[in-house]
Each structure stands twice: as C-alpha cells, then as structure tokens.
C-alpha cells in the first residue's frame, strides 16, 4: 500500500502532482509520502498489540531526521548501528531509553557516547565487545544494559549479501558462545544483562525462518533460565520483506500473529527492528530522462540519477519498478535505464520494458524509500540529491540538494602543495 497514484495520467504523491515538485526542486530527488510512512508504522505496531512491545525503526533504512521524528511521534524507538545514527536519533528527539545499539564493530567512542546518552541496550555481538563495554561502563561508573545477539543458524532464503543469521555470517554469537557470555556477564558489576536478540536477514518473504529463529531463541532462554539467568527484552530484529516486483511477503499482521503464537505466554517486552517494510514503498526516486540512445541491438535511456543515488540495482541486482510520471499512450521500448556515471555497472534497470520516453520526461523509480538515500554517495563528485516529504497537498524539503561547495567542505590542500 502506498500513496503514489495517477490522476488524469499524472503521478501524484498524496495530493501533490509529482511534476510540480520536480519543477520546484529540480531532479533527481527522493520523494516520501507522510501518509504511507505513518500508515506502515501504525500497521506494524498494531500487529504486536497483544504483548508489551517496542518498535525500534532501523535507522540504516532511512535516516532522515523528519522520518525519524515522525516515528518517534508515533511512539517508536530506534535500532542504530553507529555513533552517527545515535546522533541523528537524539537530534530527532527520540528518547534514548527507546534506542537499541546493534552492529559487530562498535568502537570505544561510540560505546561511551551510547552509555552517556542512556540508551535502552547494546545488542552485543562478540565476547571482546562485551569486555570493552564492561571496561567503558566501569570507567564511567555506570551499569551497561546489554543483550546478546545470538546467531540461530537459520537460512532466511534471501540475497547472500543481506542474510545475517547463518553461522557463516559475521553476526552474533553461536548458542554455545552466548551461554558462556551470559554467564560471564552475569558476574560483572558494570553489566546489566536484560535482553536477548537476533536478526537473521533482510527482505524475507516467508514467515517460517523468523519462527525457526524464534524457536531457537526460546530454547536458549530456557537453558539460560535453568542456570538462573533471565531476560526482560526479546529483540527479534527486522527483515520483513516488501513487494518490489512479484514477491508476496506476509502482511505485518500475519507476521505478528505467527510470532505471537510461536512465542506463546511470555513476560517479555518484544522489540522489533523493522526498516524496509516501513519505509521501502513509502518512497520513490524521481529522475529525468537526459538522452535516449541506440547502440547495436540495444536501447539505452540515460537519466540524471545514477548508482551513487540508488546503488541497489548495481550492488544486488535489485529490481525497482520504473513508472512514467506522465502516462501517455505511446508505444513501449525495452531498454537499459542508466545513469551518467562512468561505469557499466551504473544502471537502474536492465532490459526493462518501459513506455517510450523522450529527453525531459520524468520517471519514477519505485520502492526506493529504504536503503536509497542512506546508501547514496558522492561518487563522480555528484552532489547528493534532496529528500522531499509530502503531507496532504503540501510538500517539504527535508534535506536540501548538496552544492558543489558541500562537495569540498572539509577538504584542505597542505601548504607544501
Ligand atoms: N536490525 C539489524 C540488526 C539489521 O542488521 C537490519 C538490516 C535491520 C534490523 C533492518 O532490516 P530490514 O527490516 O530493513 O530488512 N542494504 C540492503 C539491506 C541491508 C540490511 C542490513 N541490516 C538492501 O538495500 O537491501
């Protein structure tokens, strides 16, 4: 479900015609629907209403302050993986006691920042990290709230780059290591063991791998309980997929129901870390056709956005639907939709059937709200593009386009040159 629709053959975001925004901001730009973001968050939250829970939106999927503030206003917390994401979360006004800190490579300065900020918990991924958190907490004379991330060795059946719960992945602790780490942590005065967590991958389109992981975690909790260790928070991570093309992932309500059934009676506060399912289909990338070109046996549509703006097609071979912003009853072509970057890997779609287009036409790259802007870069010294949010019949620039000056801010030429 989303709020991008056609009216008289013109694409609207909620009540605003997309060409009107393009006119004002220039292209390319990311465009988010406030109504879709809000709806997705509320639907997800509702799926868990039978049990105490906290929805910690995964900041890596979309880290714009306005987006984070919106979820905060709806009662959400955050899943962060860096000091930078913590800074954003706090700037957006998210209460630190609703923030969980995941990631295999937390640095000392990031741990100290999080301890001083008073986050809800660290999802710890190794014994060495646990020791470092213990030392940092002792120095600050604090008790660090921790949860251990276990790797349940479940195959999520997703792209290998985004599966994280197999024992061959770098994430989490094996069950045996986790038991050992819980015992060790239990005896440390500056660690407060409050949770257990797992995250098995992203863009999952079946519910079963989540349930397998949950069963593993439940078994582990039983083992821990038997040796006198108990936890309050059960963090099941994120990972629920969306429809980019033909996928039919479970609805959040089905996902929630299956999890609550598998969980059974429990006294836990459940934490979920959804990213993509909340923001993915709430955003599009609007780009303009620069040129069309025919090489031998191949059509190219060259647009003004590129792999530096949306890297998912180049990096994962990911599919994003491409729609014309103005529908016109012309014919169709089959073409590669490519950007201006000097690499053959710079494409947004390959061999794609799209309506015939002319230079100047606008195209919408759909489902670009998750891992779109957040993975963008300045490659080829291309300024990063604006992010715009529509609410009703108004639109707001929630991040301005970078300037050429922004590109060199922070650089300096040493005197010897
Ligand atoms: N929690 C943890 C610990 C994670 O590592 C992730 C994603 C999430 C939550 C959120 O997962 P989601 O609900 O969005 O699936 N760049 C890739 C996706 C990488 C996901 C990494 N971890 C992409 O564009 O598909």
């Amino acid at each position: 479900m989303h709020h991008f629709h056609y009216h008289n053959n013109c694409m609207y975001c909620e009540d605003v015609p997309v060409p009107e925004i393009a006119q004002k901001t220039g292209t390319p730009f990311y465009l988010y629907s406030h109504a879709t973001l809000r709806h997705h968050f509320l639907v997800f939250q509702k799926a868990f209403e039978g049990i105490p829970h906290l929805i910690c939106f995964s900041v890596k999927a979309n880290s714009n302050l306005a987006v984070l503030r919106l979820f905060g206003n709806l009662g959400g917390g955050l899943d962060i993986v860096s000091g930078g994401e913590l800074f954003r979360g706090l700037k957006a006004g998210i209460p630190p006691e609703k923030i969980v800190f995941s990631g295999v490579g937390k640095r000392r300065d990031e741990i100290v920042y999080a301890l001083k900020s008073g986050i809800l918990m660290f999802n710890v991924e190794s014994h060495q990290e646990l020791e470092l958190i213990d030392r940092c907490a002792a120095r600050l004379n604090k008790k660090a709230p921790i949860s251990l991330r276990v790797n349940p060795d479940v195959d999520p059946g997703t792209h290998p780059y985004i599966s994280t719960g197999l024992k061959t992945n770098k994430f989490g602790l094996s069950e045996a290591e986790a038991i050992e780490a819980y015992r060790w942590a239990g005896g440390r005065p500056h660690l407060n063991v409050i949770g257990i967590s797992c995250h098995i991958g992203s863009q999952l389109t079946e519910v079963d791998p989540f349930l397998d992981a949950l069963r593993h975690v439940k078994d582990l909790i039983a083992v821990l309980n038997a040796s006198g260790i108990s936890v309050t928070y059960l963090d099941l991570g994120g990972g629920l997929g969306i429809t980019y093309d033909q996928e039919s992932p479970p609805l959040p309500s089905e996902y929630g129901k299956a999890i609550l059934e598998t969980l059974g009676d429990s006294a836990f506060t459940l934490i979920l870390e959804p990213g993509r399912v909340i923001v993915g289909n709430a955003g599009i990338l609007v780009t303009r056709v620069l040129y069309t070109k025919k090489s031998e046996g191949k059509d190219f549509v060259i647009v003004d956005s590129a792999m530096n703006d949306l890297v998912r097609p180049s990096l994962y071979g990911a599919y994003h639907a491409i729609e014309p912003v103005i529908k016109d009853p012309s014919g169709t072509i089959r073409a590669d939709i490519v950007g201006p970057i000097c690499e053959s890997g710079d494409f947004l779609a390959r061999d794609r059937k799209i309506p015939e287009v002319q230079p100047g036409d606008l195209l919408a790259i759909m489902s670009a709200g998750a891992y779109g802007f957040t993975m963008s870069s300045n490659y080829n010294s291309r300024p990063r593009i604006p992010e715009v949010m529509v609410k009703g019949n108004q639109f707001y620039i929630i991040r301005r386009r970078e300037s050429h000056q922004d590109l060199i801010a922070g650089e300096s030429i040493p005197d010897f040159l």
Side-chain angles (χ1 to χ4, degrees):
M1 201 291 286
H2 58 69
H3 294 79
F4 299 96
H5 58 97
Y6 288 95
H7 182 64
N8 290 337
N9 289 327
C10 174
M11 185 183 278
Y12 278 63
C13 176
E14 301 188 21
D15 301 330
V16 184
V18 173
E20 198 175 288
I21 306 173
Q23 178 82 33
K24 298 251 169 62
T25 64
T27 55
F29 61 94
Y30 277 99
L31 180 59
Y32 310 128
S33 155
H34 175 270
T36 312
L37 291 166
R38 185 170 188 282
H39 176 76
H40 285 179
F41 189 89
L42 292 176
V43 163
F44 196 91
Q45 201 170 44
K46 193 167 166 32
F48 294 93
E49 68 186 356
I51 180 173
H53 66 272
L54 179 62
I55 309 299
C56 289
F57 172 70
S58 193
V59 178
K60 62 177 85 64
N62 189 316
S63 61
N64 186 284
L65 292 182
V67 172
L68 303 184
R69 170 69 61 89
L70 163 57
F71 299 146
N73 288 348
L74 298 174
L78 300 179
D79 157 50
I80 58 158
V81 290
S82 69
E85 288 190 350
L86 176 55
F87 177 75
R88 283 183 173 279
L90 297 175
K91 281 284 175 207
I94 308 298
E97 64 275 11
K98 288 187 176 177
I99 298 180
V100 297
F101 192 172
S102 311
V104 285
K106 303 178 190 75
R107 288 198 317 253
R108 178 192 297 270
D109 59 305
E110 293 175 314
I111 292 170
V112 167
Y113 180 23
L115 279 170
K116 287 185 175 165
S117 305
I119 64 163
L120 174 58
M121 66 187 190
F122 293 87
N123 286 338
V124 179
E125 306 220 14
S126 68
H127 208 287
Q128 289 178 4
E129 180 193 334
L130 193 56
E131 288 170 356
L132 180 58
I133 294 175
D134 182 40
R135 287 200 298 277
C136 293
R139 187 164 297 177
L140 294 172
N141 200 20
K142 284 186 182 289
K143 232 174 146 70
I146 59 145
S147 138
L148 295 183
R149 175 166 172 184
V150 294
N151 186 332
D153 196 22
V154 168
D155 185 356
T158 182
H159 190 288
Y161 283 15
I162 52 178
S163 89
T164 49
L166 283 169
K167 64 176 178 232
T168 46
N169 296 135
K170 67 178 174 181
F171 300 97
L173 295 152
S174 71
E175 293 177 13
E177 287 165 336
I179 293 169
E180 185 56 37
Y182 272 111
R183 291 212 176 105
W184 184 83
R188 307 296 299 174
H190 290 284
L191 295 180
N192 187 15
V193 180
I194 58 170
I196 187 161
S197 62
C198 76
H199 168 82
I200 56 171
S202 197
Q203 184 52 14
L204 272 74
T205 52
E206 306 284 340
V207 85
D208 285 341
F210 290 113
L211 303 183
D212 278 355
L214 176 54
R215 287 189 203 101
H216 276 92
V217 171
K218 272 180 69 177
D219 290 348
L220 182 56
I221 292 173
V223 174
L224 294 173
N225 287 348
S227 47
I229 300 165
S230 63
V231 291
T232 313
Y233 294 96
L234 171 49
D235 181 343
L236 281 178
L240 185 57
I242 63 169
T243 303
Y244 284 101
D245 184 13
Q246 306 289 335
E247 309 89 331
S248 47
L251 295 171
S253 55
E254 295 163 345
Y255 164 80
K257 186 162 174 274
I259 287 177
L260 295 192
E261 274 170 15
T262 308
L263 192 59
D265 279 340
S266 81
F268 302 117
T269 293
L270 200 57
I271 295 180
L272 286 309
E273 302 174 355
R276 189 187 320 261
V277 68
I278 310 282
V279 292
N281 283 322
I284 63 174
L285 168 59
V286 181
T287 188
R288 202 178 280 284
V289 176
L290 295 173
Y291 307 104
T292 61
K293 177 166 157 173
K294 247 188 196 331
S295 302
E296 222 167 290
K298 192 128 190 127
D299 279 341
F300 291 98
V301 173
I302 302 162
V303 296
D304 63 2
S305 63
M307 66 189 283
N308 73 297
D309 302 310
L310 178 68
V311 76
R312 302 192 70 257
S314 306
L315 188 58
Y316 312 116
Y319 177 97
H320 285 264
I322 299 186
E323 306 287 351
V325 169
I326 305 281
K327 272 192 187 163
D328 129 5
S330 54
T332 55
I333 50 164
R334 186 173 282 280
D336 283 11
I337 320 298
V338 301
I341 283 184
C342 305
E343 296 206 24
S344 298
D346 177 27
F347 58 88
L348 297 168
R350 278 190 153 156
D351 267 327
R352 186 70 64 81
K353 214 165 126 193
I354 58 159
E356 221 169 312
V357 286
Q358 307 298 331
D361 288 354
L362 294 171
L363 291 173
I365 320 292
M366 306 305 288
S367 313
Y371 307 106
F373 185 87
T374 51
M375 293 180 79
S376 68
S377 76
N378 289 121
Y379 187 39
N380 275 206
S381 283
R382 290 168 53 83
R384 276 181 300 168
I385 66 178
E387 293 175 286
V388 180
M389 184 186 282
V390 165
K391 180 172 189 290
N393 60 8
Q394 301 287 325
F395 71 89
Y396 305 84
I397 297 186
I398 57 173
R399 182 182 169 113
R400 66 166 171 79
R401 188 181 304 282
E402 286 180 351
S403 64
H404 285 163
Q405 201 56 43
D406 290 328
L407 288 176
I408 56 167
E411 291 183 33
S412 53
I413 303 175
D415 286 345
F416 68 84
L417 290 173

